[in-house]
Amino acid sequence: MGLTAGIVGLPNVGKSTLFNAITNAQVEAANYPFATIDPNVGVVEVPDVRLTTLSEMFQPKRTIATTFEFTDIAGLVKGASKGEGLGNKFLANIRETDAICEVVRCFEDSDITHVEGGVDPIRDIETINLELIFADLATVEKRLSGLEKKAKSGDKEAKIEQGILVRLQETFLQERPARCLDFTKEEMVFVKQWSLLTMKPLIYVANVGEQDIEHPENNVHYQRVVAYAQKEGSKVVPICAKIESELVGLADDEKAMFMEELGIKESGLDKLIHEAYSLLGLQTFFTVGKDEVRAWTFKKGMVAPEMAGIIHTDFQRGFIKAETYSYDDLMTYQSELALKEAGKLRQEGKTYVGQDGDIMFFKFNV
């Protein structure tokens, strides 16, 4: 699908340590601001127990997971919207992502300096969010200025655009993000053109200490982040980046043992991948057979021909139908033959809207 989530945060909040764990890549995570200057991109597998189960059932030659892309973006600082601390470059990198994972420090450690002198996650969140709002305000005001003559001349489209821009301007001056506004389909055509940073969906990643990983809700910093996020309808994923970086290098059995010792059932990284995947409205369908069992990412609301096109453009161009059944039904009946006999194997046409967990075989002719 080519969608990506950008990992942002102030310097020294554990952002690059988290990225190292996500990708198992050796990205520099030195203890000083601006250690990361160029964005680093990492592709990770989306954990899915359904894929493992299907692989065990069909015993294919190969099993391929679907993937998700994260981009590590260098630490923002106050004044980034005005170019402070390489801010223009960082904001441009964020603009190229589809969602934002905002890492905030919720752990105390005297050995790791904080760019603002002390740990205060709400101050950090507001610093970053304001920089994104200021950057969007500059974009909107520039567009408004260029549109003024056209709107005054009575151009109908220009007047509609001007109205949307004024709403946005007023919202930004109240220090609120663009995503808190509701837009019609017609208005969204304009809004999408402006690539506003604060229109991007956002998750807060609370980086807690090792002692808090089993019960992050006991961490006062984490509690404050959750309360803040609830007000704007955002989600929070608690993670201990230090532990995640240790987990990623372990074999599966060692990882399971370590997690059991920590008292956690799912790693923070797996939670983050799932949340980022869901945040962008992504779902998974499967193709199965003796040669390959594979998971594919599709956008919620896609119809069968579009899903076929994810595999190959010819599949979409010559789409005839899709033999379809659900993963849950397969688990109930335990074989494709039993599914067929129970009437659970369906022939879906061009208007069928795909569902998460669909198992599909596409028929086409070109």
Side-chain angles (χ1 to χ4, degrees):
M1 291 297 294
L3 297 177
T4 180
I7 303 174
V8 305
L10 294 177
N12 299 342
V13 297
K15 187 172 51 60
S16 290
T17 303
L18 173 61
F19 182 77
N20 286 344
I22 285 174
T23 61
N24 202 15
Q26 297 304 308
V27 180
E28 189 174 13
N31 182 25
Y32 58 88
F34 315 121
T36 312
I37 295 175
D38 294 315
N40 297 279
V41 177
V43 178
V44 295
E45 290 187 354
V46 177
D48 197 325
V49 68
R50 296 173 300 182
L51 183 67
T52 306
T53 304
L54 289 171
S55 186
E56 290 169 354
M57 184 176 282
F58 287 90
Q59 296 290 306
K61 292 175 184 175
R62 60 184 180 273
T63 301
I64 303 175
T66 192
T67 58
F68 189 78
E69 195 173 280
F70 284 95
T71 301
D72 181 35
I73 296 168
L76 288 170
V77 294
K78 196 178 289 183
S81 59
K82 297 175 182 174
E84 293 292 330
L86 306 178
N88 292 332
K89 185 179 176 67
F90 300 163
L91 292 168
N93 291 334
I94 296 170
R95 208 176 295 280
E96 291 170 7
T97 66
D98 302 287
I100 297 171
C101 297
E102 188 170 318
V103 183
V104 289
R105 180 171 166 177
C106 293
F107 67 91
E108 301 283 351
D109 189 333
S110 58
D111 292 331
I112 301 178
T113 59
H114 191 289
V115 72
E116 293 288 346
V119 178
D120 184 344
I122 304 306
R123 177 203 58 213
D124 294 355
I125 286 172
E126 290 177 344
T127 295
I128 290 174
N129 290 358
L130 276 175
E131 292 306 324
L132 301 183
I133 286 168
F134 291 155
D136 280 351
L137 179 61
T139 298
V140 163
E141 290 182 338
K142 184 178 179 182
R143 182 64 186 161
L144 269 172
S145 176
L147 202 66
E148 196 173 347
K149 284 184 182 177
K150 207 173 179 182
K152 277 184 179 178
S153 72
D155 186 293
K156 195 173 180 180
E157 197 169 275
K159 292 198 86 170
I160 294 170
E161 187 175 353
Q162 186 182 50
I164 302 166
L165 288 164
V166 168
R167 273 176 67 203
L168 283 164
Q169 184 184 41
E170 290 170 353
T171 301
F172 296 149
L173 290 172
Q174 293 167 13
E175 299 184 353
R176 296 166 64 220
R179 61 181 165 271
C180 74
L181 295 174
D182 291 321
F183 298 101
T184 64
K185 283 184 180 179
E186 292 76 14
E187 288 174 332
M188 278 304 297
V189 173
F190 291 102
V191 175
K192 284 178 180 177
Q193 294 173 9
W194 305 321
S195 300
L196 298 174
L197 300 170
T198 63
M199 271 301 290
K200 297 180 186 296
L202 179 146
I203 297 173
Y204 293 109
V205 183
N207 188 13
V208 300
E210 295 170 74
Q211 71 281 0
D212 296 315
I213 194 60
E214 187 175 0
H215 296 290
E217 66 278 2
N218 295 335
N219 178 307
V220 176
H221 296 313
Y222 174 74
Q223 290 172 8
R224 293 179 66 207
V225 174
V226 169
Y228 186 96
Q230 283 176 342
K231 289 178 185 176
E232 61 176 43
S234 298
K235 290 192 175 182
V236 182
V237 178
I239 273 183
C240 176
K242 188 177 179 183
I243 287 176
E244 297 298 333
S245 63
E246 293 170 5
L247 278 172
V248 80
L250 299 178
D252 288 346
D253 56 341
E254 292 175 322
K255 184 177 178 179
M257 195 182 299
F258 189 20
M259 284 171 61
E260 190 176 339
E261 288 174 7
L262 293 168
I264 55 175
K265 293 180 180 178
E266 184 182 22
S267 78
L269 293 184
D270 286 355
K271 286 180 188 174
L272 178 59
I273 293 166
H274 285 141
E275 287 293 350
Y277 196 73
S278 174
L279 188 70
L280 287 169
L282 302 179
Q283 296 182 323
T284 303
F285 75 91
F286 303 93
T287 51
V288 298
K290 291 181 180 178
D291 285 336
E292 180 182 278
V293 167
R294 183 163 182 167
W296 303 86
T297 296
F298 72 102
K299 192 87 172 173
K300 187 176 181 180
M302 274 187 169
V303 291
E306 292 174 312
M307 295 165 73
I310 292 168
I311 299 174
H312 199 286
T313 52
D314 284 350
F315 285 22
Q316 181 171 3
R317 189 158 55 92
F319 179 89
I320 299 171
K321 62 182 177 180
E323 286 190 354
T324 306
Y325 56 89
S326 75
Y327 171 85
D328 289 341
D329 283 343
L330 179 61
M331 292 303 99
T332 300
Y333 294 95
Q334 287 297 302
S335 77
E336 289 182 320
L337 180 60
L339 279 169
K340 194 170 185 179
E341 290 172 349
K344 296 294 184 180
L345 197 155
R346 314 182 306 273
Q347 304 296 324
E348 301 291 0
K350 293 181 178 180
T351 60
Y352 173 70
V353 178
Q355 301 298 309
D356 185 57
D358 276 347
I359 299 170
M360 309 180 87
F361 176 76
F362 297 105
K363 292 188 176 180
F364 69 103
N365 183 30
V366 289

